[in-house]
Amino acid sequence: EAGVAQSPRYKIIEKRQSVAFWCNPISGHATLYWYQQILGQGPKLLIQFQNNGVVDDSQLPKDRFSAERLKGVDSTLKIQPAKLEDSAVYLCASSLDSQGYGYTFGSGTRLTVV
Amino acid sequence: GIQVEQSPPDLILQEGANSTLRCNFSDSVNNLQWFHQNPWGQLINLFYIPSGTKQNGRLSATTVATERYSLLYISSSQTTDSGVYFCAVETSSSNTGKLIFGQGTTLQVKP
């Protein structure tokens, strides 16, 4: 089966600019996650969707980050305006259900804010 | 919130050696997974192991949920085993699939 697809692979922007990342999960996976991984640390959950509804966005900086999964399939994560501390790898993952069975990560988007 | 501690933080092995990585967690969990992040950044799911023991080739894992720790064993290590190994858990009170990751163990296997 195809894996979790993410794009772009790399992005460099200036601070205060906006950026968007795209994720297409494994077909049939109801749950989609966006994680942020800062260099040298483990991934941290930003937001979790179950179909097209938000399950957990408690660690999403809502003043600058937004995410949507309108049709319950692919998803976009947006940052506006970006700060230097947003430099990180943004990982998308999907699982078959909300219990996390079949957890699969995409290759990630490496964001550098200068 | 739950604390996830991994040890050792760094490990250097000669090819062919065996190793044990440890993950301690501070609260009861209903989900524990081990991941390998390769040098290109790809996270690969190794084990879903909230309790008990599983084996997959040269890798095996054991979780003792009552004592709040999990171990990942790598036998006859190969250079392709290099990378960062993460333990990730979900607390029993969560039941949403949200994983809390440890800081990882960075493994370097030398030829």
Side-chain angles (χ1 to χ4, degrees), chain A residues 53-74:
Chain A
V54 175
V55 174
D56 187 330
D57 64 356
S58 57
Q59 298 192 84
L60 187 73
K62 298 180 186 64
D63 58 333
R64 298 183 301 106
F65 286 64
S66 65
E68 60 183 14
R69 193 185 184 199
L70 292 176
K71 297 181 179 178
V73 181
D74 59 344

Side-chain angles (χ1 to χ4, degrees), chain B residues 48-94:
Chain B
Y48 171 86
I49 186 165
S51 64
T53 298
K54 290 186 177 179
Q55 181 157 6
N56 184 2
R58 296 181 296 103
L59 302 182
S60 64
T62 295
T63 297
V64 184
T66 53
E67 297 187 21
R68 299 182 180 172
Y69 73 88
S70 183
L71 302 173
L72 178 69
Y73 305 95
I74 305 174
S75 64
S76 304
S77 59
Q78 300 176 358
T79 56
T80 52
D81 295 331
S82 297
V84 184
Y85 289 81
F86 287 104
C87 167
V89 304
E90 179 183 9
T91 61
S92 297
S93 59
S94 171

Side-chain angles (χ1 to χ4, degrees), chain B residues 28-39:
Chain B
S28 60
V29 301
N30 60 12
N31 183 351
L32 187 147
Q33 304 193 34
W34 283 97
F35 293 88
H36 174 222
Q37 190 165 42
N38 65 25

